């Protein structure tokens, strides 16, 4: 272990989570059943090899699906409130290991320790939500046009839910899906990102213990590891009625086509190109706090990260200066050190994308306000630390139209009425999160109206980044249209059935049709 890992208790955290490593770095986590070539997990914090995790072969995959299929036959018969009790125990176990799992998230992914703890808290919160929901999986009753008939609808579990998650939220997004799927009566097969495989093994260890203690089938929660080829096994498998995939738009289109080709269902949470509109009536102090956290939190690697700041010309210079002053105060470094604001990007590929985006936007005519650079020297040995940048740009630039998964904020100007700002905000293919900063009630209501934001999330006087589990999370347009977490998102994990009961001795037909024998 490196000095950072020792100082911040990473070895102890791994042990708490049931993870150990051999001298060659191979993980010996108790639920690592793959027999394929190993994938290495290097920490972007200090570049060290944490461990290696064996990948899933086709034979391994078929075995996992068989175990999951058998488990579903038993799990679907367990009453939903009892399924909720299992999820409650899982949430309690997460509370016990919150600090350790938060450290692993921070060390393997690179987000700040506070954000790592927050991600585990999201897991706990969705468990609490799911426990209550397990007693509220309700349908509707309706009046029949036929006398002596009763109509109602109910929801049944789907079967196996396949979950493909991204590196930036290596544990929370899985929990959003699996907690709801479990109380719905489904079983889950999870392919975590190949960039954060240890987080997946840790979570599997936790839930495996809960299942064992309750004498429940281990196939209720299954883990597979590997690259896109393992994901393809899942998307093309008719035994998986629903695939929930989080990632890039490019990836989502591939998943959607593969699943649709077999008439399966897909839940897609894809890219965001999120904007904050700043009107003349905005509170500038609040605006700067929201914009800076949205732009640099998780080193700009959130799907809800603030990419664009659309500012009215009358307050443009004031906002611009306040932002530049705020960026001078950002501390970049080891994310386990809570004195720092920004940690590293996930890997060298992300660094290269960051550099290429800055070069491209300048070539298109952008003006750099805060220079971006790759940091080196003591504390930055991994090569994954970069300086958050601000660029004055135009919404029409190709670079601005794309999602740059890095801490680059594009500063845009608008003139005239709010409609012009909304047109800029909506003028991208993504539609995840949006926000407006204003103390003007009319502006706020216009932004939230049919003529306002076209995103799945629209906020007033808070930033684009961060979401509570009580609300359905997801976006429109090329963000995929999926909804996870709160509200009635549970319905995607179940199949709807309409029932009609005739309690008479007659058999009248609907629409008054006569058919006599």
């Amino acid at each position: 272990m490196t000095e950072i890992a020792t100082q911040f208790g990473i070895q102890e955290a791994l042990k708490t989570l049931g993870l150990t490593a051999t001298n060659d770095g191979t993980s010996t986590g108790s639920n690592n059943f793959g027999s394929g070539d190993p994938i290495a997990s290097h920490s972007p914090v200090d570049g060290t090899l944490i461990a290696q995790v064996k990948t899933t072969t086709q034979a391994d995959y078929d075995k996992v699906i068989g175990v999951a299929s058998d488990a579903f036959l038993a799990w679907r018969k367990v009453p939903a409130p009892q399924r909720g009790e299992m999820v409650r125990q899982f949430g309690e176990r997460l509370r016990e290991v919150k600090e350790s799992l938060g450290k692993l998230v921070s060390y393997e992914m690179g987000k700040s320790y506070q954000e790592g703890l927050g991600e585990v808290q999201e897991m706990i919160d969705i468990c609490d939500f799911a426990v209550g929901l397990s007693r509220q999986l309700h349908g509707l009753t309706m009046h029949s046009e036929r006398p002596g008939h009763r109509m109602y609808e109910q929801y049944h579990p789907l079967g196996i839910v396949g979950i493909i998650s991204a590196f930036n939220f290596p544990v929370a997004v899985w929990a959003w899906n699996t907690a709801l799927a479990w109380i719905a009566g489904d079983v889950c097969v999870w392919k975590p990102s190949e960039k954060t495989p240890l987080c997946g093994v840790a979570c599997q260890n936790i839930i495996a213990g809960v299942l064992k203690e309750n004498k429940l089938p281990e196939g209720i929660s299954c883990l597979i590891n590997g690259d896109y080829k393992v994901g393809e096994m899942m998307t093309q498998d008719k035994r998986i009625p629903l695939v929930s995939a989080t990632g890039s738009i490019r990836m989502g289109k591939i998943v959607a086509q593969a699943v649709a080709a077999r008439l399966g269902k897909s839940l897609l949470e894809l890219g965001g190109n999120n904007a904050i509109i700043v009107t003349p009536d905005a509170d500038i102090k609040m605006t700067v706090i929201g914009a800076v956290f949205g732009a640099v939190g998780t080193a700009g690697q959130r799907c809800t990260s603030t990419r664009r700041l659309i500012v009215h010309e009358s307050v443009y210079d004031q906002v611009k200066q306040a932002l530049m002053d705020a960026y001078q105060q950002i501390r970049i470094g080891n994310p386990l050190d809570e004195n720092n604001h920004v940690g590293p990007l996930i890997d060298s590929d992300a660094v290269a994308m960051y550099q290429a985006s800055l070069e491209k936007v300048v070539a298109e005519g952008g003006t750099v306000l805060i220079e971006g650079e790759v940091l080196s020297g003591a504390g930055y040995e991994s090569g994954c630390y970069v300086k958050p940048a601000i660029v004055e740009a135009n919404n029409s630039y190709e670079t601005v139209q794309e999602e740059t998964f890095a801490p680059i904020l594009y500063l845009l100007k608008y003139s005239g009425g709010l409609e012009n700002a909304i047109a800029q905000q909506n003028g991208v293919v993504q539609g995840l999160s949006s926000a407006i900063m204003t103390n003007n009630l009319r502006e706020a209501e216009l932004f939230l109206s049919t003529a306002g934001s076209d995103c799945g999330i629209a906020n007033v006087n808070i930033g684009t980044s961060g979401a509570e589990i009580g609300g359905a999370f997801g976006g429109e347009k090329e963000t995929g249209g999926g909804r996870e977490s709160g509200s009635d998102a549970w319905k995607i994990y179940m199949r709807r059935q309409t029932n009609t009961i005739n309690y008479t001795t007659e058999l009248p037909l609907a629409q008054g049709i006569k058919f006599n024998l």
Side-chain angles (χ1 to χ4, degrees), residues 132-149:
L133 191 62
S134 67
R135 296 181 181 271
Q136 300 179 67
L137 300 177
H138 52 77
L140 299 173
T141 61
M142 55 219 72
H143 292 280
S144 172
E145 67 183 63
R146 291 166 285 184
H149 286 58

Side-chain angles (χ1 to χ4, degrees), residues 372-442:
E373 64 175 303
V374 181
L375 301 177
S376 59
Y380 304 128
E381 289 87 356
S382 70
C384 296
Y385 292 87
V386 302
K387 186 177 177 182
I390 303 177
V391 181
E392 286 185 302
N394 189 290
N395 203 57
S396 63
Y397 292 173
E398 185 176 326
T399 315
V400 177
Q401 289 285 309
E402 299 168 348
E403 179 187 41
T404 303
F405 226 53
I408 303 174
L409 179 64
Y410 300 116
L411 191 58
L412 314 174
K413 184 185 295 186
Y414 82 95
S415 58
L418 179 58
E419 295 86 352
N420 296 332
I422 292 173
Q424 282 198 58
Q425 180 207 276
N426 295 346
V428 294
V429 298
Q430 308 87 351
L432 180 53
S433 187
S434 59
I436 187 172
M437 292 292 184
T438 182
N439 289 322
N440 185 310
L441 178 62
R442 290 177 176 174

Side-chain angles (χ1 to χ4, degrees), residues 486-502:
S487 185
D488 64 349
W490 62 271
K491 292 181 178 179
I492 189 67
Y493 305 97
M494 306 192 79
R495 59 181 176 88
R496 186 193 306 238
Q497 184 182 78
T498 300
N499 307 114
T500 305
I501 301 171
N502 177 5

Side-chain angles (χ1 to χ4, degrees), residues 319-474:
V319 171
K320 172 179 166 180
Q321 188 60 56
L323 276 173
M324 294 174 66
D325 291 344
Y327 267 55
Q328 302 304 321
Q329 302 174 47
I330 293 174
R331 294 185 295 274
I332 308 165
N334 171 18
L336 291 161
D337 183 344
E338 296 185 62
N339 291 314
N340 293 322
H341 297 113
V342 180
L345 292 175
I346 186 66
D347 57 21
S348 58
D349 290 340
V351 173
M353 180 185 66
Y354 158 87
Q355 292 175 302
S357 295
L358 283 174
E359 291 173 4
K360 184 176 179 180
V361 75
V362 170
E364 289 184 279
T367 301
V368 176
L369 298 178
I370 298 292
E371 292 279 353
E373 64 175 303
V374 181
L375 301 177
S376 59
Y380 304 128
E381 289 87 356
S382 70
C384 296
Y385 292 87
V386 302
K387 186 177 177 182
I390 303 177
V391 181
E392 286 185 302
N394 189 290
N395 203 57
S396 63
Y397 292 173
E398 185 176 326
T399 315
V400 177
Q401 289 285 309
E402 299 168 348
E403 179 187 41
T404 303
F405 226 53
I408 303 174
L409 179 64
Y410 300 116
L411 191 58
L412 314 174
K413 184 185 295 186
Y414 82 95
S415 58
L418 179 58
E419 295 86 352
N420 296 332
I422 292 173
Q424 282 198 58
Q425 180 207 276
N426 295 346
V428 294
V429 298
Q430 308 87 351
L432 180 53
S433 187
S434 59
I436 187 172
M437 292 292 184
T438 182
N439 289 322
N440 185 310
L441 178 62
R442 290 177 176 174
E443 289 180 336
E445 290 297 331
L446 174 59
F447 177 74
L448 299 176
S449 74
T450 303
S453 170
D454 64 2
C455 296
I457 299 169
N459 299 327
V460 176
N461 289 331
I462 60 172
T464 62
S465 187
E468 298 180 34
I469 60 92
F473 179 89

Side-chain angles (χ1 to χ4, degrees), residues 33 56 59-69 189 219 222-224:
F33 299 123
T56 302
D60 296 330
Y61 175 81
D62 289 333
K63 181 180 178 181
V64 165
I65 296 299
V67 170
S69 298
V189 176
C222 297
L223 183 73
I224 55 178

Side-chain angles (χ1 to χ4, degrees), residues 463-485:
T464 62
S465 187
E468 298 180 34
I469 60 92
F473 179 89
E476 299 301 319
K477 301 189 292 187
E478 291 194 8
T479 300
R483 292 297 186 275
E484 295 172 330
S485 190

Side-chain angles (χ1 to χ4, degrees), residues 142-156:
M142 55 219 72
H143 292 280
S144 172
E145 67 183 63
R146 291 166 285 184
H149 286 58
R150 181 168 67 89
M151 294 179 65
Y152 70 98
E153 65 180 22
Q154 59 181 330
Y155 288 82
H156 297 293

Side-chain angles (χ1 to χ4, degrees), residues 12-280:
E12 292 77 7
L14 293 175
K15 289 180 180 178
T16 298
L17 298 168
L19 297 167
T20 57
T22 62
N23 290 333
D24 66 357
T26 304
S27 168
T28 57
S30 60
N31 286 278
N32 183 28
F33 299 123
S35 60
D37 295 335
I39 51 176
S41 174
H42 288 90
S43 171
V45 175
D46 55 13
T48 191
L49 172 66
I50 312 172
Q52 297 186 73
V53 175
K54 291 183 179 179
T55 53
T56 302
T57 65
Q58 184 67 58
D60 296 330
Y61 175 81
D62 289 333
K63 181 180 178 181
V64 165
I65 296 299
V67 170
S69 298
D70 291 342
F72 173 63
L73 298 179
W75 184 237
R76 66 181 179 179
K77 296 178 183 178
V78 176
Q82 292 184 28
R83 299 194 293 255
E85 169 59 18
M86 185 277 285
V87 174
R88 185 195 67 78
Q89 293 179 34
F90 178 55
E92 288 302 310
R93 194 62 52 82
L94 288 172
R95 286 179 169 88
E96 295 170 6
V97 300
K98 179 179 176 179
E99 291 187 5
S100 295
L101 187 54
K103 283 184 180 179
L104 176 59
V105 168
S106 179
Y107 191 59
E108 186 175 35
M109 184 268 150
K111 65 174 57 176
S112 74
Y113 178 50
Q114 279 299 310
E115 290 183 82
L117 292 174
E119 186 167 345
V120 181
Q121 186 61 49
E122 281 193 60
M123 302 175 75
I124 295 168
D125 291 344
I126 196 63
C127 286
D128 288 348
F129 182 88
V131 171
L133 191 62
S134 67
R135 296 181 181 271
Q136 300 179 67
L137 300 177
H138 52 77
L140 299 173
T141 61
M142 55 219 72
H143 292 280
S144 172
E145 67 183 63
R146 291 166 285 184
H149 286 58
R150 181 168 67 89
M151 294 179 65
Y152 70 98
E153 65 180 22
Q154 59 181 330
Y155 288 82
H156 297 293
L158 287 172
I160 300 175
V161 172
I163 302 169
I164 301 172
S165 63
F167 74 86
N168 60 331
F169 280 86
V171 296
V173 171
W174 168 71
W176 283 7
N177 283 273
T178 203
L180 298 189
W182 284 335
I183 61 98
D186 299 319
V187 299
C188 297
V189 176
W190 177 28
K191 192 199 91 64
S193 170
E194 60 269 33
K195 297 182 180 183
T196 52
L198 287 181
C199 285
V201 176
C203 290
Q204 180 68 8
N205 284 348
I206 297 167
I207 186 58
V210 175
L211 294 175
K212 185 176 182 180
E213 290 171 7
N214 286 272
K215 296 181 172 58
L216 291 169
E218 63 177 355
I220 290 170
S221 179
C222 297
L223 183 73
I224 55 178
N225 274 301
D227 59 14
Y228 72 94
K229 295 178 182 177
V230 176
E232 286 178 348
M233 298 178 194
M234 186 183 294
T235 58
Q236 296 172 3
D237 193 338
K238 293 182 179 180
R239 296 169 292 181
I240 301 181
L242 171 65
V243 175
S244 174
T246 303
S248 68
I249 291 173
R250 181 193 62 80
M251 181 274 285
K253 289 180 177 179
I254 294 171
V255 169
Q257 291 175 32
V259 176
R262 58 179 177 82
L263 297 182
K265 298 168 67 177
S266 58
L267 192 171
L268 302 175
E269 296 290 355
L270 310 177
N273 194 349
N274 317 295
I276 298 177
I277 295 173
V278 185
T279 79

